[in-house]
């Protein structure tokens, strides 16, 4: 165990973008990635939606069919092996939703419906995934869908209109601590 001088070259960006559908998460992730420079890969869980920006940005894409945490881990391992220095994961939400569903199945089958106890199986899987995010040898830009709510607002003339608000990322509690920066897209 040896201390060494800290340098910025050792630091890799961990950026999370969250917001409702249509807020620009994917486009912004690609713009940031291009600004960082280097080989860019996108793990796309949105059925190839990132490809609609291929006329604006140069990047490689992997359309992730296996949206389990293991599927994400396998894709991240492949990206690291291929030498991508910027990895965009668009989006983390599908993996989280799959894990929540798995915990609910485990609760019913092994713990008499007790989801609290079933998280004893789910939490280690989530922690392995977070460790993989933090240990990726390049920069990570991850998008997350946000829970949305509709409110009635008024325009300057007093006319009412519905307005969609993004509230919080659809991801595990405390995920915000794993990133250098969380950006809410509106």
């Amino acid at each position: 165990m040896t201390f060494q001088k800290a340098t910025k070259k050792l630091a890799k960006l961990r950026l999370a973008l969250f917001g409702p559908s249509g807020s620009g998460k994917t486009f912004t992730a690609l713009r940031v990635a291009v600004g960082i420079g280097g080989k860019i890969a996108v793990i796309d869980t949105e059925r190839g939606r990132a490809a609609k920006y291929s006329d604006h940005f140069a990047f490689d894409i992997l359309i992730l069919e296996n949206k389990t945490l293991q599927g994400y881990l396998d894709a991240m391992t492949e990206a690291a092996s291929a030498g991508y220095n910027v990895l965009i994961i668009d989006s983390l939400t599908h993996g989280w939703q799959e894990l929540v569903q798995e915990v609910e199945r485990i609760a019913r089958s092994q713990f008499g419906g007790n989801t609290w106890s079933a998280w004893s199986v789910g939490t280690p899987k989530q922690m392995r995934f977070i460790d993989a995010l933090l240990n990726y040898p390049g920069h990570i830009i991850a998008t997350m869908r946000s829970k949305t709510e509709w409110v009635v607002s008024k325009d300057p003339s007093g006319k009412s209109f519905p307005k969609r608000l993004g509230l919080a990322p659809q991801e595990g509690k405390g995920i915000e601590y794993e990133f250098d920066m969380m950006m809410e897209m509106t």
Side-chain angles (χ1 to χ4, degrees), residues 14-16 92 133 142 144 175-182:
R14 300 296 182 258
L15 171 63
L92 292 182
L133 280 175
M144 294 178 257
I175 192 70
E176 64 274 10
Y177 296 106
E178 308 307 337
F179 292 93
D180 300 318
M181 184 185 319
M182 293 271 294

Side-chain angles (χ1 to χ4, degrees), residues 18 30 32 44 47 68-69 84 86-87 114 134 140 148 154 184:
F18 71 98
L30 286 161
V32 171
D44 188 327
R47 296 182 174 85
T68 64
L69 292 185
Y84 291 103
V86 182
L87 177 61
N114 184 336
L134 296 176
I140 294 269
T148 56
K154 293 190 182 212
E184 181 178 9

Side-chain angles (χ1 to χ4, degrees), residues 127-179:
M127 295 312 300
R128 241 185 2 263
F129 176 68
I130 289 171
D131 284 344
L133 280 175
L134 296 176
N135 291 321
Y136 184 79
H139 305 284
I140 294 269
I141 303 171
T143 68
M144 294 178 257
R145 294 177 176 183
S146 67
K147 298 172 187 166
T148 56
E149 182 176 303
W150 289 89
V151 296
V152 177
S153 294
K154 293 190 182 212
D155 67 16
S157 68
K159 184 177 177 184
S160 296
F161 67 95
K163 182 177 180 180
R164 182 177 54 183
L165 300 176
L167 298 177
Q170 289 183 338
E171 186 41 79
K173 191 183 338 180
I175 192 70
E176 64 274 10
Y177 296 106
E178 308 307 337
F179 292 93

Side-chain angles (χ1 to χ4, degrees), residues 11-156:
K12 300 295 182 189
L13 176 66
R14 300 296 182 258
L15 171 63
L17 305 170
F18 71 98
S21 176
S23 61
K25 297 179 296 291
T26 305
F27 186 83
T28 301
L30 286 161
R31 285 193 68 173
V32 171
V34 168
I36 292 170
K39 283 178 60 176
I40 301 168
V42 176
I43 298 172
D44 188 327
T45 66
E46 305 279 346
R47 296 182 174 85
R49 286 189 197 166
K52 68 183 168 187
Y53 301 117
S54 62
D55 59 338
H56 295 287
F57 308 103
F59 61 95
D60 295 336
I61 189 170
L62 181 143
I63 299 172
L64 189 64
E65 300 295 333
N66 178 10
K67 296 176 182 133
T68 64
L69 292 185
Q70 187 59 52
Y72 282 80
L73 293 171
D74 293 344
M76 290 168 59
T77 299
E78 186 172 328
S81 295
Y84 291 103
N85 65 306
V86 182
L87 177 61
I88 298 170
I89 304 173
D90 186 29
S91 97
L92 292 182
T93 301
H94 294 94
W96 174 249
Q97 290 171 339
E98 186 278 332
L99 181 61
V100 169
Q101 290 171 0
E102 181 182 351
V103 165
E104 289 172 0
R105 282 191 304 273
I106 291 168
R108 285 191 301 274
S109 67
Q110 297 177 23
F111 295 98
N114 184 336
T115 54
W116 179 266
S117 295
W119 275 104
S120 66
V121 177
T123 298
K125 287 184 175 193
Q126 177 72 354
M127 295 312 300
R128 241 185 2 263
F129 176 68
I130 289 171
D131 284 344
L133 280 175
L134 296 176
N135 291 321
Y136 184 79
H139 305 284
I140 294 269
I141 303 171
T143 68
M144 294 178 257
R145 294 177 176 183
S146 67
K147 298 172 187 166
T148 56
E149 182 176 303
W150 289 89
V151 296
V152 177
S153 294
K154 293 190 182 212
D155 67 16

